[in-house]
């Protein structure tokens, strides 16, 4: 290992340097965009205050999104997504502040937009350049971490392969510690010995990190590892044997002082993200309801004139955390009553569907009253579509992880809908596909993904041949 460049993965000095550089990017982008808009750098009072507020919010947002964590071994896309989401969130909050303080008219909208674009460009440009430079240094032998794998089973082999194949991560696998030199990992990696000789092996090989990759039932061995290395400065990392589980946003956190591994959760329900999601829903749904109010009145009149019965159809659906709520839709069928509490999905040429209702269902206009559900806080604009209670009871025993859809608020539109999983689900495969897309959305949620889904819904989600 080359001397002088063995940097700590997450030292305070590196973090401070990143924060300072990020702040400079926000300020520099603000001045450059001002010059592009007004051909001078003579920034007036309101723009200066906005620049200071935006930079402060930006640094807070980047920190909240995890931009200052250790990125060793992480993909460049994950860092790009983190920086982009934090930047967009910053400017959304800045714009909302402008509306709430009635000061938005004091600023140039072109300046705000160009400031956002330039900020994202500068942040990503320097971070990608920094990542590339560090990667090149590691390829030349600088800032390398020598790693041993403690374990000789499939988990250990998977960890060793991953560390070896992650380019520019700076990890070199020296070998593995196991009970036998005939294990499955020996064909690819060097056998260094067993746990009894661990302290000597670490010292002789000048190891930086020991990665424990043992099955859960071998807890006693894990204790022996920690005891053997108690007098060593080597970093010990535990890779939990959870790859056999179907995971959803798995992560390590601390609850009441206890280390907890989340096997199934959603970062949508975390404090800051839940707030952002709520603001997004309230703002967008309020604007949409105002804009479509004439259309809502026209549809209500058409339903009333062509079919006896109420304008709205109300039905209990399963919502966030499994709580039931009443969902609102424009009535598209003749008034009827299901037998024995069953719910029969609408089919092609269903005689229960009215002429106006058929048009509403094809164009998804029957879903518009659900923006009221969004304002009530019972639904979100984007999320898994809520199913009838009877359907939940039927499918939860047939489709794996079906009920995980209810970890978040149901939505008017969703990732499944813009990917073709809309309308009648007359086969298990169709429902499985819908659930897989819903879980993908929960796993990968971001404000950007929500906006993308809303945009694509205009072109893919309204009119659909599968809606009867």
């Amino acid at each position: 290992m080359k001397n002088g460049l063995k940097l700590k993965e997450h030292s305070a000095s590196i973090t401070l340097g990143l924060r300072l550089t990020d702040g400079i990017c926000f300020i520099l982008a603000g001045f450059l965009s001002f010059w592009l808009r007004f051909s001078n750098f003579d920034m007036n009072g309101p723009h200066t205050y906005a620049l200071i507020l935006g930079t402060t919010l930006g640094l807070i947002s980047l920190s909240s999104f995890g931009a200052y964590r250790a990125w060793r071994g992480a993909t460049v896309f994950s860092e790009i997504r983190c920086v982009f989401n934090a930047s967009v969130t910053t400017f959304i909050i800045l714009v909302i502040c402008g509306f709430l303080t009635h000061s938005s008219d004091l600023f140039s909208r072109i300046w705000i937009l160009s400031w956002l674009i330039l900020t994202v460009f500068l942040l990503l440009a320097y971070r990608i350049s920094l990542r590339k430079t560090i990667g090149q240094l590691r390829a030349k032998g600088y800032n390398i971490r020598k790693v041993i794998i403690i374990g000789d089973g499939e988990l250990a082999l998977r960890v060793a392969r991953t560390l070896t194949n992650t380019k520019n991560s700076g990890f070199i696998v020296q070998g593995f510690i196991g009970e036998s030199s005939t294990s499955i990992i020996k064909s690819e990696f060097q056998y260094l010995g067993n746990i009894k000789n661990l302290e000597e092996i670490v010292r002789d090989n000048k190891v930086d990190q020991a990665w424990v990759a043992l099955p859960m039932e071998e807890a006693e061995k894990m204790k022996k590892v920690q005891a053997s290395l108690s007098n060593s400065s080597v970093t010990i990392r535990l890779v939990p044997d959870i790859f056999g589980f179907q995971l959803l946003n798995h992560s390590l956190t601390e609850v009441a002082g206890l280390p907890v591994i989340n096997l199934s959760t959603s970062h949508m329900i975390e404090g800051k993200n839940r707030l952002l999601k709520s603001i997004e829903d309230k703002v967008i749904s309020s604007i949409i309801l105002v804009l479509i109010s004439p259309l809502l009145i026209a549809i209500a009149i058409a339903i009333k004139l062509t079919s006896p019965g109420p304008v709205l159809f109300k039905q209990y659906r399963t919502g966030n955390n499994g709580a039931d709520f009443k969902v609102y839709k424009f009535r598209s069928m003749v008034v009827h009553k299901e037998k024995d509490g069953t719910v029969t999905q609408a089919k092609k040429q269903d005689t229960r569907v009215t002429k106006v209702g058929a048009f509403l269902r094809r164009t998804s206009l029957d879903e518009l009253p659900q923006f009221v559900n969004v304002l009530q806080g019972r639904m979100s604009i984007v999320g898994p579509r809520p199913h009838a209670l009877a359907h939940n009871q039927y499918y939860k025993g047939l489709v794996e992880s079906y009920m995980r859809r209810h970890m978040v608020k149901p939505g008017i539109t969703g990732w499944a809908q813009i990917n073709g999983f809309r309308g009648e689900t007359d086969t298990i495969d169709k429902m499985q596909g819908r659930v897989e897309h819903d879980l993908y959305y929960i796993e990968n949620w971001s404000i950007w993904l929500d906006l993308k889904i809303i945009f694509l819904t205009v072109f893919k989600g309204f009119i659909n041949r599968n809606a009867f």
Side-chain angles (χ1 to χ4, degrees):
M1 183 180 299
K2 304 290 182 68
N3 295 323
L5 279 174
K6 186 178 177 181
L7 305 175
K8 292 183 180 180
E9 288 188 20
H10 199 36
S11 69
S13 58
I14 293 176
T15 301
L16 178 60
L18 288 174
R19 291 179 188 273
L20 288 175
T21 308
D22 288 342
I24 291 172
C25 287
F26 271 94
I27 294 172
L28 181 60
F31 274 104
L32 286 176
S33 59
F34 190 88
W35 178 79
L36 291 172
R37 176 65 180 86
F38 299 105
S39 300
N40 64 72
F41 292 105
D42 188 18
M43 192 173 290
N44 55 29
H47 285 80
T48 301
Y49 298 143
L51 183 63
I52 295 172
L53 178 60
T55 301
T56 304
L57 289 173
L59 293 176
I60 294 173
S61 183
L62 284 167
S63 180
S64 299
F65 276 84
Y68 302 115
R69 68 180 179 85
W71 289 100
R72 179 189 289 264
T75 63
V76 64
F77 177 75
S78 62
E79 188 170 4
I80 290 174
R81 183 173 60 183
C82 171
V83 171
F84 181 83
N85 289 340
S87 302
V88 171
T89 299
T90 298
F91 283 87
I92 290 176
I93 296 174
L94 195 62
V95 170
I96 292 174
C97 289
F99 278 110
L100 292 178
T101 58
H102 304 286
S103 60
S104 57
D105 292 337
L106 299 176
F107 310 105
S108 166
R109 290 170 176 78
I110 296 177
W111 175 67
I112 291 289
L113 180 61
S114 59
W115 183 16
L116 167 62
I117 295 172
L118 278 174
T119 297
V120 172
F121 174 79
L122 290 177
L123 289 174
L124 292 180
Y126 102 80
R127 281 176 173 266
I128 292 174
S129 298
L130 180 62
R131 173 185 280 262
K132 186 175 181 180
T133 300
I134 292 175
Q136 290 174 343
L137 289 172
R138 287 171 179 163
K140 294 179 180 179
Y142 292 95
N143 197 25
I144 296 298
R145 300 291 184 272
K146 291 183 178 180
V147 177
I148 59 170
I149 308 298
I150 300 175
D152 53 13
E154 292 183 1
L155 176 62
L157 180 59
R158 178 171 183 169
V159 172
R161 283 175 174 172
T162 301
L163 292 179
T164 301
N165 295 330
T166 303
K167 304 302 181 183
N168 300 326
S169 65
F171 292 118
I172 295 180
V173 177
Q174 298 291 96
F176 72 96
I177 307 295
E179 292 299 318
S180 172
S181 61
T182 60
S183 68
I184 62 173
I185 195 174
K186 188 191 176 197
S187 60
E188 298 181 39
F189 299 93
Q190 182 181 359
Y191 175 69
L192 301 175
N194 56 41
I195 295 178
K196 293 179 181 179
N197 304 317
L198 181 57
E199 189 174 0
E200 294 89 4
I201 293 171
V202 167
R203 184 180 62 251
D204 294 342
N205 288 273
K206 297 181 180 180
V207 172
D208 297 300
Q209 298 183 8
W211 288 51
V212 182
L214 295 169
M216 291 183 178
E217 59 267 20
E218 297 188 10
E220 287 301 320
K221 287 186 181 179
M222 298 180 193
K223 292 180 181 179
K224 290 180 180 178
V225 169
Q226 189 173 18
S228 298
L229 299 178
S230 60
N231 295 320
S232 172
S233 61
V234 66
T235 298
I236 306 173
R237 295 191 168 182
L238 172 66
V239 182
D241 187 14
I242 59 176
F243 293 104
F245 295 94
Q246 184 173 9
L247 305 175
L248 189 63
N249 274 309
H250 52 286
S251 60
L252 179 65
T253 187
E254 184 177 298
V255 179
L258 299 173
V260 177
I261 298 175
N262 298 314
L263 298 182
S264 179
T265 186
S266 172
H267 57 277
M268 291 171 61
I269 60 179
E270 296 174 357
K272 62 180 185 298
N273 292 331
R274 182 170 55 197
L275 176 61
L276 289 174
K277 180 78 166 170
S278 178
I279 293 173
E280 171 198 340
D281 286 334
K282 296 295 193 295
V283 171
I284 296 179
S285 61
S286 297
I287 294 172
I288 290 177
L289 280 172
V290 171
L291 294 176
I292 67 173
S293 55
L295 178 61
L296 296 178
I297 295 173
I299 293 174
I301 294 173
I303 293 173
K304 203 66 180 176
L305 292 178
T306 57
S307 175
V311 170
L312 292 180
F313 169 74
K314 302 176 184 179
Q315 186 183 58
Y316 277 104
R317 301 286 176 94
T318 302
N320 190 24
N321 292 325
D324 296 340
F325 73 102
K326 276 187 179 180
V327 68
Y328 304 138
K329 300 176 70 172
F330 279 124
R331 182 174 57 84
S332 58
M333 292 184 175
V334 296
V335 177
H336 66 284
K337 187 174 182 180
E338 298 278 2
K339 296 181 180 180
D340 302 323
T342 59
V343 178
T344 306
Q345 295 189 59
K347 302 179 182 298
K348 194 171 184 178
Q349 298 179 342
D350 197 313
T351 56
R352 300 172 298 167
V353 179
T354 65
K355 291 183 178 180
V356 172
F359 172 75
L360 295 178
R361 296 174 76 92
R362 282 197 306 271
T363 56
S364 296
L365 294 176
D366 60 324
E367 312 283 0
L368 294 182
Q370 288 165 33
F371 283 106
V372 176
N373 287 126
V374 175
L375 282 180
Q376 292 173 334
R378 298 168 184 169
M379 289 184 66
S380 181
I381 293 177
V382 181
R385 285 293 299 154
H387 297 159
L389 302 185
H391 293 161
N392 288 336
Q393 293 299 319
Y394 175 73
Y395 285 111
K396 71 179 184 179
L398 299 175
V399 179
E400 186 179 1
S401 301
Y402 177 87
M403 295 302 287
R404 288 189 182 182
R405 305 169 69 254
H406 304 300
M407 295 175 63
V408 299
K409 290 181 182 179
I412 297 175
T413 185
W415 184 246
Q417 282 62 49
I418 65 170
N419 282 282
F421 291 95
R422 178 175 178 265
E424 184 185 13
T425 50
D426 53 352
T427 66
I428 298 298
D429 288 342
K430 287 183 180 179
M431 183 57 77
Q432 181 67 53
R434 178 180 289 189
V435 170
E436 288 175 356
H437 281 75
D438 288 338
L439 295 183
Y440 173 87
Y441 168 76
I442 296 173
E443 173 86 20
N444 297 278
W445 174 84
S446 67
I447 293 291
W448 168 248
L449 181 58
D450 273 0
L451 296 177
K452 176 181 178 180
I453 292 172
I454 292 172
F455 177 77
L456 291 177
T457 297
V458 177
F459 302 98
K460 294 183 177 182
F462 280 119
I463 300 176
N464 192 291
R465 58 184 177 84
N466 297 324
F468 308 124

